[in-house]
Amino acid sequence: MSFQSNIPDGPLKEKWTKHKFDLKLVNPANKRKYNIIVVGTGLAGASAAASFAELGYNVQAFSYHESPRRAHSIAAQGGINAAKNYPNDGDSIYRLFYDTIKGGDYRAREANVYRLAEISNNIIDQCVAQGVPFAREYGGLLDNRSFGGAQVSRTFYARGQTGQQLLLGAYSALIRQMGKGTVQFHPRHEMLDLVLVNGEAKGIITRNLVTGEINRHSANAVVLATGGYGNVFFLSTNAMASNVTAAWRAHRKGAYFANPCFTQIHPTCIPVSSEHQSKLTLMSESLRNDGRVWVPKKKGDNRNPSDIPEEDRDYYLERLYPSFGNLVPRDVASRRAKDMCDKGHGVGNTGLAVYLDFSDAIQRLGRDAVSAKYGNLFDMYQQITGENPYETPMRIYPAVHYTMGGLWVDYNLMSNVPGLFVLGEANFSDHGANRLGASALMQGLADGYFIIPQTIGNYLSEKLNETVSIEDSAFSSAENDVRERAEKLLSVNGSRTVDDIHKELGKILWDNVGMSRESSGLNEAIQKIPALREEFWNNVRVPGNNESFNPELEKAGRVADFLELGETMARDALNREESCGGHFREEHQTEENEARRNDEGYTYVAAWEYQDGAPPNLHKESLNFENVSLTTRSYK
């Protein structure tokens, strides 16, 4: 196994172009001799599978949904970044690169981030050609809006449905290849193990979620595009089926898991209203373009917001960060909202909310103009809360959203396990310690459409005429492991439900590894999670059997993985004695309660190696900054 980043030499602006030329190629006539497995068919997976097939490879695509259109990518609302500079407001590829590096608090690779910014413009052209209905100005040109962490308007959007529209574009490309027979789609199949043959990824073991059948699938390479792990907290903005299982099973087979403690708390979510909630709802960050965030200046002020005059309101983001105002990055906005509520300025019944007010925008632009931008989001908010945001401010509070950590990959998006490639949110590569808004869709499509189709050939070119049989002993061993694990879960027959244990895990993590962390809480989590894991394996109750449809068995397998991941997250957070981005250690902050990095000690990627029954081993990839200065991140 390799732990080399494989970043090409040369000037930053030339690295990707030079690297593409240096990559080994596969003859077009030879591509049809190769088989590639793609797990996950969201934006990254669908675009990769369609691109592979278009190039001539044979593709097997797997989804635990019945259709790629059900992928969680559909939930991305606000937009996708690109450096086209249509508004002529000073944007450029370098500025997008710089904003992303700075937004991630200088904990991402320069080369990867610059490539992402460079490719961003191609993505917009690709999606327009597919018919994605981006918003347009009166004259017909594509419109842009701003997002947090930037002082330019670079975000392309389709009202509040950008993820859905982009996914439909990728889906159309994928289903075209399915129709041609170059992509074999396996719906309602969950990957439960990675198969290594002579140390290289050559297949997967899946469970048919409808019939319970366990199947073997072989290929010359495996591509994971299975999203993030935010549901480890139980309550998050992720779809309830989102999980870490595919990535974690690969981790158990040797793939390093990088920066697991870098989880993003999104500042604009509908607050928790009941302990019986199973998930949280995201309100798009794009709302911060026109919505103003405020709290009452007086603690415990329970007046109707319309009765609170301007002089009694604290527009705290505008006060603290005048240059960026309400468009500070997500980690900054989230911490400030928590701080205001902790000080007693929170609103609503729980006191755990702040206002997002559109009265100024409605007065300035008119209700129709605001509705044209955000109407579906306003409708969603009203349906959930029963309040009309055109007439009264939204109430919002931070919630777990995106995970910057993931499986470690090199510049080619290959993990340290040869033949295993990882795309989108499932890898760690581009966002450092904090993702800027509208960059998730950008990364997913960059990885799927423009990077992996180029780089996978470099690996496959060495495998010409390689045959991989599902009769290999490695497949038998992996299948037996999957069956034994399922039988073990079913045989416990305890008294606690899977959800009950998952909720307890989520509370441990939210209290100790959430918006702020400190050493005693992290050590407490490291003690409590193994005990809860022991409780799970000795007292969980999973009804049904393994021979048919069994959603409780699905959940049990996923929570078992979350129980291992949660401990690694706490260990990673304890190890990183600094504050950066979404990782805020209370011991490491300035007098103004801002994050204090430790560049001398922690300018590295923390890549953890799984050790069965023992704490994971830490490997470090040094981050070298040759084009940007490591300065204190300021949005004032």
Side-chain angles (χ1 to χ4, degrees):
M1 295 188 182
S2 172
F3 187 52
Q4 301 295 322
S5 62
N6 293 318
I7 297 171
D9 297 328
L12 186 66
K13 294 181 179 180
E14 299 174 10
K15 287 183 185 293
W16 177 231
T17 300
K18 178 180 182 298
H19 188 65
K20 286 188 290 184
F21 179 77
D22 291 340
L23 289 170
K24 297 174 184 176
L25 301 177
V26 176
N27 183 315
N30 286 335
K31 287 189 172 76
R32 58 179 172 268
K33 301 176 183 178
Y34 292 99
N35 296 299
I36 301 173
I37 284 174
V38 178
V39 185
T41 52
L43 277 180
S47 58
S51 299
F52 290 148
E54 189 73 40
L55 286 170
Y57 295 109
N58 300 299
V59 181
Q60 295 184 72
F62 295 82
S63 172
Y64 55 65
H65 294 301
E66 73 277 8
S67 167
R69 290 174 296 178
R70 290 287 306 279
H72 187 58
S73 302
I74 201 172
Q77 299 165 336
I80 177 171
N81 287 331
K84 282 186 171 292
N85 194 30
Y86 285 167
N88 195 29
D89 58 358
D91 202 10
S92 65
I93 289 172
Y94 190 87
R95 188 176 294 277
L96 175 54
F97 153 74
Y98 176 77
D99 286 347
T100 306
I101 286 283
K102 176 185 175 183
D105 223 348
Y106 306 96
R107 291 295 177 261
R109 292 188 193 131
E110 281 190 337
N112 284 65
V113 175
Y114 190 87
R115 175 175 64 182
L116 177 64
E118 184 180 0
I119 288 172
S120 67
N121 293 339
N122 301 39
I123 297 171
I124 304 303
D125 295 338
Q126 167 84 0
C127 294
V128 169
Q130 289 178 328
V132 173
F134 287 123
R136 294 179 179 268
E137 297 176 336
Y138 178 77
L141 299 178
L142 296 181
D143 196 11
N144 290 104
R145 59 188 177 200
S146 301
F147 255 65
Q151 291 178 303
V152 297
S153 295
R154 63 162 66 104
T155 304
F156 295 79
Y157 65 99
R159 212 176 187 188
Q161 307 170 347
T162 313
Q164 178 181 9
Q165 298 302 331
L166 291 171
L167 184 61
L168 289 173
Y171 171 71
S172 68
L174 176 61
I175 201 168
R176 175 174 177 268
Q177 298 298 330
M178 289 163 57
K180 293 174 63 177
T182 50
V183 173
Q184 182 182 1
F185 181 56
H186 301 267
R188 303 292 290 148
H189 279 65
E190 181 168 29
M191 172 185 158
L192 295 181
D193 209 352
L194 178 71
V195 180
L196 303 185
V197 178
N198 298 323
E200 302 192 21
K202 295 301 172 186
I204 62 174
I205 305 297
T206 65
R207 181 175 184 269
N208 185 317
L209 299 181
V210 176
T211 67
E213 184 180 2
I214 306 297
N215 295 300
R216 309 175 184 182
H217 307 273
S218 64
N220 302 103
V222 176
V223 176
L224 300 186
T226 49
Y229 50 88
N231 274 351
V232 67
F233 289 87
F234 187 74
L235 283 179
S236 82
T237 67
N238 290 187
M240 290 183 65
S242 298
N243 64 83
V244 77
T245 288
W248 196 256
R249 301 296 168 85
H251 176 55
R252 290 172 64 97
K253 283 295 181 72
Y256 295 168
F257 210 101
N259 298 337
C261 79
F262 287 168
T263 56
Q264 181 168 83
I265 313 296
H266 197 294
T268 50
C269 299
I270 297 178
V272 175
S273 61
S274 166
E275 65 178 23
H276 302 295
Q277 277 184 255
S278 56
K279 77 174 300 292
L280 299 174
T281 302
L282 171 70
M283 300 307 296
S284 170
E285 183 182 341
S286 63
L287 295 170
R288 289 198 279 146
N289 271 290
D290 291 303
R292 301 179 70 193
V293 179
W294 65 275
V295 293
K297 289 182 179 179
K298 182 182 177 182
K299 295 182 181 180
D301 190 339
N302 295 321
R303 285 179 290 175
N304 187 295
S306 61
D307 294 333
I308 301 177
E310 284 291 313
E311 60 267 22
D312 290 343
R313 300 181 180 190
D314 181 7
Y315 295 92
Y316 58 89
L317 292 179
E318 298 172 30
R319 172 173 58 84
L320 294 169
Y321 312 100
S323 294
F324 282 75
N326 295 295
L327 289 175
V328 292
R330 292 173 175 177
D331 61 318
V332 176
S334 295
R335 283 199 302 274
R336 292 286 72 82
K338 179 181 185 296
D339 185 48
M340 288 296 159
C341 293
D342 289 348
K343 291 178 178 177
H345 297 278
V347 301
N349 295 332
T350 63
L352 295 177
V354 300
Y355 288 128
L356 182 60
D357 194 338
F358 290 87
S359 56
D360 282 1
I362 292 172
Q363 184 176 1
R364 184 179 74 254
L365 303 172
R367 176 167 172 157
D368 290 345
V370 172
S371 177
K373 287 184 176 181
Y374 313 115
N376 62 305
L377 299 173
F378 279 38
D379 292 344
M380 181 172 69
Y381 181 88
Q382 185 167 4
Q383 289 172 10
I384 292 172
T385 66
E387 299 173 0
N388 186 344
Y390 292 103
E391 299 173 359
T392 188
M394 291 183 180
R395 286 175 292 107
I396 58 170
Y397 192 71
V400 174
H401 178 54
Y402 187 90
T403 49
M404 285 76 66
L407 292 182
W408 182 90
V409 291
D410 67 6
Y411 190 72
N412 292 327
L413 304 184
M414 187 164 75
S415 73
N416 61 296
V417 175
L420 176 66
F421 296 81
V422 192
L423 314 183
E425 192 179 359
N427 75 33
F428 86 101
S429 64
D430 291 355
H431 305 298
N434 174 62
R435 176 178 69 83
L436 293 184
S439 288
L441 303 182
M442 178 173 62
Q443 185 208 349
L445 291 180
D447 287 357
Y449 279 137
F450 296 105
I451 299 175
I452 192 64
Q454 303 273 350
T455 60
I456 200 170
N458 191 63
Y459 171 78
L460 292 176
S461 64
E462 302 291 329
K463 308 297 177 183
L464 187 62
N465 298 320
E466 175 189 63
T467 58
V468 184
S469 171
I470 60 173
E471 302 304 321
D472 189 287
S473 60
F475 283 85
S476 302
S477 176
E479 180 183 338
N480 288 337
D481 290 344
V482 167
R483 293 185 183 277
E484 288 176 6
R485 188 179 180 89
E487 291 303 323
K488 185 176 180 181
L489 287 168
L490 291 164
S491 67
V492 175
N493 201 29
S495 61
R496 297 187 65 180
T497 66
V498 174
D499 281 346
D500 185 40
I501 294 175
H502 193 180
K503 285 181 182 180
E504 184 174 342
L505 171 65
K507 187 173 188 334
I508 293 171
L509 290 171
W510 179 251
D511 290 345
N512 299 291
V513 201
M515 265 195 285
S516 62
R517 301 99 184 256
E518 46 84 28
S519 59
S520 62
L522 291 169
N523 279 305
E524 181 180 328
I526 291 170
Q527 295 299 316
K528 284 185 173 181
I529 295 173
L532 182 61
R533 189 164 62 242
E534 186 77 10
E535 167 80 357
F536 174 87
W537 284 106
N538 287 281
N539 197 26
V540 73
R541 182 175 182 81
V542 183
N545 58 60
N546 193 30
E547 309 300 325
S548 61
F549 177 71
N550 190 343
E552 287 302 307
L553 179 59
E554 294 172 37
K555 288 195 296 184
R558 295 165 185 172
V559 171
D561 295 325
F562 281 144
L563 284 162
E564 294 184 350
L565 167 65
E567 182 182 347
T568 302
M569 290 170 63
R571 291 185 180 278
D572 186 40
L574 183 64
N575 168 77
R576 190 169 284 276
E577 289 280 357
E578 65 167 352
S579 290
C580 57
H583 168 65
F584 190 76
R585 286 285 297 270
E586 294 180 9
E587 305 95 323
H588 305 289
Q589 56 181 305
T590 67
E591 293 181 359
E592 294 80 24
N593 304 116
E594 302 289 357
R596 176 179 280 139
R597 293 196 321 270
N598 180 349
D599 292 332
E600 291 187 6
Y602 295 94
T603 310
Y604 62 75
V605 176
W608 296 90
E609 179 184 8
Y610 184 81
Q611 300 290 304
D612 193 8
N617 287 337
L618 174 61
H619 302 266
K620 300 177 182 179
E621 178 203 336
S622 296
L623 294 171
N624 301 310
F625 293 91
E626 301 173 354
N627 299 273
V628 297
S629 300
L630 294 177
T631 58
T632 299
R633 194 169 58 138
S634 174
Y635 292 94
K636 296 180 177 180

